[in-house]
Amino acid sequence: MNGNIVGDSSNPQLRIRSIDRNSVDFVLSNTQLSVANSLRRTMIAEVPTMAIDLVQFIDNTSVLADEFLAHRLGLVPLVSHNVDKFKYTRDCTCAEYCKDCSVEFTLHVKCTEPGTRVVYSTELISSNKDVVPVTEGDDKGVILLKLRKGQEINLHCVAKKGVAKEHAKWSPCAAVGFEYDPHNNLRHLDYWYEKSIKDEWPLSKNAEEEPENDPDAPFDYKAEPTTFYFNVETVGSLDPQAVVLKATRVLQEKLGALQLALDEDQNTDANTNMDDAEPWV
């Protein structure tokens, strides 16, 4: 897959430069800046995942306040490969939560030995084997808190489906690198420097993909960027290729809804004009 171009010359093209478990580096070309930026924003904020949304504390004698610990639990990335099987809470017919729109977690740990007992996210017990805290290899997950002898934590959590537009905990991305025109041929950037731009603003690896314009050549003020460089790093809840594909699908659905609304509006205007027309004699 690495290096292959997807798409014909008349449509946007995508070339994957590298991909692994948690990141994908690709080049999107033959498209406009608005489209590329829409894809970037959608990957960050509108791809759904599962995240802990409700926390009920039964007992907490640790040094962390309930609110502090609840916030940490919400930010624990959960495996969300089957997120499409769950409903949003607003679309579910249940009163509060159920298995169709949520996953329940429990955590009960008490330190009975001298010293410090570290509690990890992998100790959260899930009601759904497909939605569990993200781990890698022998990693025990995220450190939730530390207990001393006699301290105890006992709580119940509910994870729900959501998007990062509502809260950042639902974002599948840790970061999305985005760049175009690495040589600044279009002069969209005004660099601040003391002595030398090239020394103080080193080029990225993306500069190898494009030639640098002759500084003495006439400036083309009508030129627009058509090639964009992405580096998507996920938190592990979704595969990087799944993030890109789901973001593309979200954009398609939005554009489809917009097209239907415009068609409906045009049909309404046409019918109104017919009703206002002079009657036939």
Side-chain angles (χ1 to χ4, degrees), residues 39-202:
L39 177 61
R40 178 190 67 85
R41 292 170 62 93
T42 304
M43 287 190 291
I44 294 174
E46 297 192 55
V47 174
T49 63
M50 301 294 291
I52 291 175
D53 194 45
L54 300 175
V55 182
Q56 178 185 9
F57 287 89
I58 301 169
D59 193 6
N60 179 17
T61 57
S62 71
V63 296
L64 297 184
D66 291 356
E67 295 82 1
F68 189 94
L69 187 53
H71 183 262
R72 289 183 64 81
L73 287 166
L75 296 177
V76 172
L78 303 177
V79 176
S80 303
H81 299 310
N82 294 327
V83 66
D84 292 336
K85 295 182 179 179
F86 292 91
K87 298 178 181 178
Y88 289 103
T89 302
R90 59 180 177 269
D91 299 329
C92 193
T93 57
C94 65
E96 189 174 3
Y97 57 86
C98 66
K99 65 179 182 179
D100 293 329
C101 65
S102 62
V103 176
E104 297 182 61
F105 290 86
T106 57
L107 176 67
H108 189 188
V109 179
K110 184 174 182 179
C111 181
T112 58
E113 302 292 335
T116 302
R117 169 70 160 85
V118 180
V119 182
Y120 296 92
S121 60
T122 49
E123 297 181 69
L124 285 164
I125 301 174
S126 174
S127 63
N128 188 320
K129 61 182 178 60
D130 294 326
V131 182
V132 295
V134 172
T135 57
E136 188 171 352
D138 297 330
D139 183 21
K140 295 182 180 180
V142 178
I143 296 177
L144 298 178
L145 73 160
K146 296 180 180 181
L147 301 174
R148 299 290 288 182
K149 185 176 181 180
Q151 294 180 339
E152 181 180 6
I153 183 69
N154 186 6
L155 53 82
H156 173 262
C157 308
V158 178
K160 296 185 177 183
K161 179 179 178 179
V163 294
K165 279 202 307 184
E166 302 173 32
H167 193 286
K169 65 185 177 184
W170 276 298
S171 179
C173 300
V176 177
F178 178 73
E179 184 182 20
Y180 68 91
D181 186 25
H183 293 287
N184 197 30
N185 293 328
L186 302 177
R187 302 181 189 176
H188 286 184
L189 296 178
D190 185 13
Y191 293 113
W192 181 92
Y193 63 97
E194 293 182 347
K195 295 181 179 180
S196 171
I197 292 179
K198 291 187 176 181
D199 293 339
E200 298 174 32
W201 294 92

